[in-house]
Amino acid sequence: MQKTLVTLAVATTLGLGSTAAHAATLDDVKAKDYVQCGVTGGVPGFSAPDANNNWTGLEVDFCRAVASAIFDDADKVRYTPLTSQERFAALSAGEIDILSRTTTWTMSRDTDLGIIFAGTMYYDGQGFMVREADGIESALDLSGAAICIESGTTTELNAADYFETNGMEFTPVVFTDQDEVVKAFEDGRCDVYTTDSSALAAERSKLANPDDYVILPEIISKEPLGPAVRQGDDQWFYINRWTYYALLEAEELGVTQANVDEMLGSDNPAIKRLLGVEGEFGAPIGLPNDWAYRIIKNVGNYGEIFDRHVGPDTEIGLERGLNALWTDGGIQYAMPIR
């Protein structure tokens, strides 16, 4: 009970849970002619600006997919970099329309903060990175280590659980921004850097000498990372959730950015429904019937997005793993459009 009261007090302070004032997000988005997307301050592969200040990444492409469904234009997105501490209040206050920022889907976030998750764009888990020169080969060798952690994240609690469970001690060195965490680790202010394993791979790729650092094999938590929207606007939630499913369904059916026009002539009933050739699946969510066609034409399917930003041929070099389709041994699974 005490925890609930404290949570409610925090939510009230942050303005969280006040969803009624934002009940027609699609109308607001159409009126301003763009989607406002909350992103990280810069995590390569997920959301980061390039040399021309164009935002790219797997999570950026989710917002571009939503914009495509609405406007048939993936570029009608503006980006708001947010820290871990700022992200939920920004969404609740209506400063952004979608939070697509390496955010773990947890029960408390889904039920206490006035937000709701639309899907899981990346199934992740927390890991540890150390210096190769230290000769550490396992997280079980980290007892007594000083560990750099970003505050306001699930990584703090996960690390505490892991060390307590294994009878080990550690000294947390906490920062409010991920860039500060990485710099502190690089400067030797701590022995270990811990966060989601995908982020470790992304940050390692940016270090001056990536080969001087090793990501340990243990994954100590489940971190399903996905986009979230405000509660209280079912239409906007459905647009986001079915955008996610359409990305997956397209990959399952072999519909790609390159062949989507050809696929308009397919005899496959599932492809016809996905692309709006058959059935009426746009009107219930307030969109044209070719909303999914627009997504695939402008952004591609889930597999294309994954390979483009974080896949084996990128500097980050992540395998699909759990993020493979269910038909390929993973757990990505689209609800049917019918």
Side-chain angles (χ1 to χ4, degrees):
M1 177 64 76
Q2 183 176 9
K3 178 182 182 299
T4 302
L5 292 174
V6 169
T7 301
L8 287 173
V10 171
T12 301
T13 301
L14 294 175
L16 303 174
S18 54
T19 57
H22 310 291
T25 307
L26 178 60
D27 292 340
D28 292 343
V29 165
K30 286 181 175 177
K32 64 187 178 185
D33 205 32
Y34 61 85
V35 174
Q36 193 75 46
C37 180
V39 293
T40 70
V43 176
F46 288 83
S47 55
D50 64 16
N52 297 316
N53 206 33
N54 296 314
W55 284 84
T56 65
L58 182 143
E59 293 176 323
V60 165
D61 269 358
F62 180 81
C63 290
R64 287 168 52 80
V66 173
S68 296
I70 299 168
F71 300 115
D72 196 15
D73 187 343
D75 292 332
K76 289 196 173 184
V77 184
R78 296 184 184 180
Y79 301 95
T80 303
L82 297 166
T83 66
S84 296
Q85 293 74 33
E86 295 169 336
R87 54 185 163 176
F88 300 122
L91 179 59
S92 181
E95 296 171 9
I96 56 175
D97 303 307
I98 305 170
L99 176 65
S100 189
R101 186 208 175 281
T102 56
T103 297
T104 301
W105 184 346
T106 69
M107 180 177 179
S108 59
R109 289 172 176 175
D110 210 33
T111 58
D112 279 359
L113 300 183
I115 69 172
I116 186 167
F117 286 83
T120 302
M121 282 294 285
Y122 189 87
Y123 287 97
D124 209 344
Q126 184 174 339
F128 300 96
M129 182 158 62
V130 298
R131 296 174 188 81
E132 185 181 41
D134 291 339
I136 298 170
E137 297 182 351
S138 168
L140 295 173
D141 299 330
L142 295 178
S143 186
I147 300 183
C148 284
I149 303 176
E150 182 181 4
S151 64
T153 65
T154 54
T155 58
E156 286 184 276
L157 299 175
N158 294 334
D161 287 352
Y162 180 79
F163 278 75
E164 181 178 354
T165 299
N166 289 285
M168 303 189 302
E169 296 182 351
F170 75 103
T171 301
V173 183
V174 180
F175 300 89
T176 58
D177 181 82
Q178 182 154 298
D179 288 342
E180 294 177 332
V181 177
V182 176
K183 187 172 189 313
F185 176 61
E186 201 169 14
D187 290 346
R189 296 176 62 184
C190 53
D191 307 306
V192 184
Y193 169 30
T194 185
T195 188
D196 298 340
S197 59
S198 63
L200 289 178
E203 296 294 352
R204 181 175 177 270
S205 71
K206 294 195 301 183
L207 296 174
N209 297 298
D211 291 341
D212 290 346
Y213 302 90
V214 176
I215 298 174
L216 300 179
E218 288 87 352
I219 298 296
I220 68 167
S221 70
K222 295 185 292 185
E223 305 293 333
L225 309 179
V229 297
R230 287 178 292 278
Q231 291 181 7
D233 186 344
D234 288 351
Q235 181 186 54
W236 187 244
F237 168 68
Y238 289 138
I239 289 172
N240 280 265
R241 184 165 73 174
W242 285 96
T243 292
Y244 166 65
Y245 287 147
L247 292 169
L248 294 175
E249 179 101 333
E251 185 181 10
E252 289 181 10
L253 295 171
V255 182
T256 68
Q257 193 169 21
N259 71 14
V260 65
D261 286 318
E262 178 185 348
M263 286 293 189
L264 288 170
S266 171
D267 294 328
N268 184 324
I271 293 177
K272 288 183 176 181
R273 291 192 293 270
L274 173 68
L275 301 182
V277 175
E278 185 175 287
E280 296 291 337
F281 298 100
I285 56 174
L287 296 178
N289 215 39
D290 65 347
W291 61 277
Y293 165 84
R294 295 175 169 191
I295 291 171
I296 302 158
K297 181 70 175 177
N298 288 309
V299 182
N301 66 37
Y302 178 82
E304 292 177 294
I305 292 172
F306 187 100
D307 289 343
R308 183 160 63 232
H309 297 298
V310 299
D313 294 332
T314 67
E315 289 188 359
I316 299 171
L318 299 174
E319 299 293 336
R320 286 290 290 268
L322 292 176
N323 295 287
L325 296 178
W326 64 286
T327 50
D328 297 326
I331 58 175
Q332 289 286 11
Y333 183 105
M335 301 302 122
I337 296 175
R338 68 176 311 138

